[in-house]
Amino acid sequence: MSRSEWDTLAQRILRRDERRCYVCGKQEATQVDHKIPVSEGGSPRDEDNLGAICATPCHEEKSRAERIRAAQRARAGVGESRS
């Protein structure tokens, strides 16, 4: 997906959600997030997997938790081929 396609999709999601953050409920969202991260099996383009989100603290905290889970999966060898 190109940057301009993402920007168009993000604006549509922000309008759909009336800028209401799906995490905290405040009507201050400025970003769009994959509710289920693509790295965890979420669809990158499915609008049902996209939601408006506040940049701070909601998106920052969610992204931090996702990075921790990714590191834990990497340490555990999840997704590695065992030949």
Side-chain angles (χ1 to χ4, degrees):
M1 175 180 295
S2 73
R3 180 66 188 189
S4 65
E5 289 172 320
W6 172 256
D7 289 344
T8 299
L9 178 57
Q11 288 305 310
R12 186 167 56 241
I13 299 301
L14 287 169
R15 278 192 306 275
R16 178 198 70 191
D17 294 353
E18 299 177 334
R19 296 191 175 273
R20 185 168 307 281
C21 177
Y22 77 91
V23 176
C24 72
K26 293 180 182 173
Q27 208 162 3
E28 300 172 3
T30 58
Q31 298 180 354
V32 172
D33 181 52
H34 292 93
K35 295 175 183 178
I36 299 171
V38 175
S39 64
E40 295 178 14
S43 171
R45 295 182 182 191
D46 182 354
E47 292 186 20
D48 289 336
N49 190 40
L50 297 172
I53 191 167
C54 299
T56 314
C58 297
H59 203 188
E60 285 181 358
E61 290 176 2
K62 183 175 178 286
S63 294
R64 186 176 312 118
E66 290 167 2
R67 285 191 299 275
I68 291 168
R69 289 194 306 270
Q72 290 169 338
R73 285 192 306 273
R75 281 193 300 277
V78 174
E80 290 182 8
S81 165
R82 303 212 193 275
S83 307

